[in-house]
Amino acid sequence: IITCAKSLGNGAPIGLTIMKRKIANAIKDVAFFNTYGGNPVSCAGALANLRVIEEDGLQDRCKVVGTHNIHNLKALQKQYPEVIGDVRGAGFMVGVELVTSSSPDRTPLDGVKVVKVVEGLREKGILVGKGGTHGNVIRCQGPMCATIEDMDFFAESLEDIIKAGL
């Protein structure tokens, strides 16, 4: 079962659930309610959004730009292994694990310092989230319109914050 919401409507209230027919048939007689179910405006917005994604080749472009971003971040990891413990993800969904040492245990960076990184990026106009079991992973989920130049700016901005000291 796959669910999708926010990105489907590009801000319009809509979601979808995708499942194998066998699963759908098993729940077909169950009562179901959805606040925005079948909303024609949201459905039209979602269809227009999907059309733009397909016609403009945004998935392929995101793969190229996302790969470039991951390459940049992995280069930073090699340069600053005592701060960046791991870079993981695919496309535009990337996590940067912040640590206090490059030892095998990768001690998580203190939460206050992680917030310092998040706020430092925000001050440069870059919005990221904070996650992970220890709250030390910067979650990067750029918009599909982001460019290679945007990803370079992100990596440069993160490096500036690291250089300024955590």
Side-chain angles (χ1 to χ4, degrees):
I1 298 175
I2 300 171
T3 60
C4 177
K6 294 177 189 175
S7 61
L8 176 66
N10 198 24
I14 191 164
L16 68 86
T17 304
I18 303 168
M19 64 189 78
K20 292 185 176 190
R21 183 158 311 281
K22 182 178 178 181
I23 296 170
N25 287 340
I27 61 172
K28 69 179 180 182
D29 295 325
V30 176
F32 175 77
F33 174 78
N34 185 306
T35 305
Y36 297 106
N39 177 309
V41 174
S42 293
C43 289
L47 287 172
N49 192 43
L50 291 171
R51 194 172 353 314
V52 168
I53 289 169
E54 185 175 352
E55 289 174 1
D56 292 357
L58 292 182
Q59 284 180 302
D60 291 333
R61 197 175 67 70
C62 285
K63 185 175 182 180
V64 171
V65 174
T67 299
H68 179 82
N69 185 41
I70 291 171
H71 174 77
N72 281 350
L73 295 171
K74 286 192 178 283
L76 282 179
Q77 180 187 12
K78 284 183 180 176
Q79 191 171 352
Y80 302 100
E82 70 285 357
V83 178
I84 299 177
D86 192 21
V87 174
R88 54 187 174 264
F92 277 19
M93 296 183 74
V94 180
V96 179
E97 181 186 25
L98 302 177
V99 297
T100 59
S101 73
S102 59
S103 65
D105 68 346
R106 294 195 328 231
T107 305
L109 187 66
D110 173 78
V112 172
K113 291 180 180 177
V114 174
V115 170
K116 182 179 174 183
V117 174
V118 171
E119 289 300 310
L121 290 169
R122 184 189 56 77
E123 289 170 6
K124 293 176 177 275
I126 301 167
L127 301 178
V128 296
K130 183 173 83 86
T133 305
H134 304 288
N136 66 317
V137 177
I138 301 296
R139 295 183 347 201
C140 318
Q141 298 170 309
M144 293 181 91
C145 61
T147 64
I148 285 178
E149 292 77 18
D150 293 328
M151 296 307 179
D152 289 344
F153 178 70
F154 170 59
E156 291 162 8
S157 298
L158 181 57
E159 183 174 24
D160 289 345
I161 292 166
I162 292 170
K163 283 180 178 177
L166 298 174

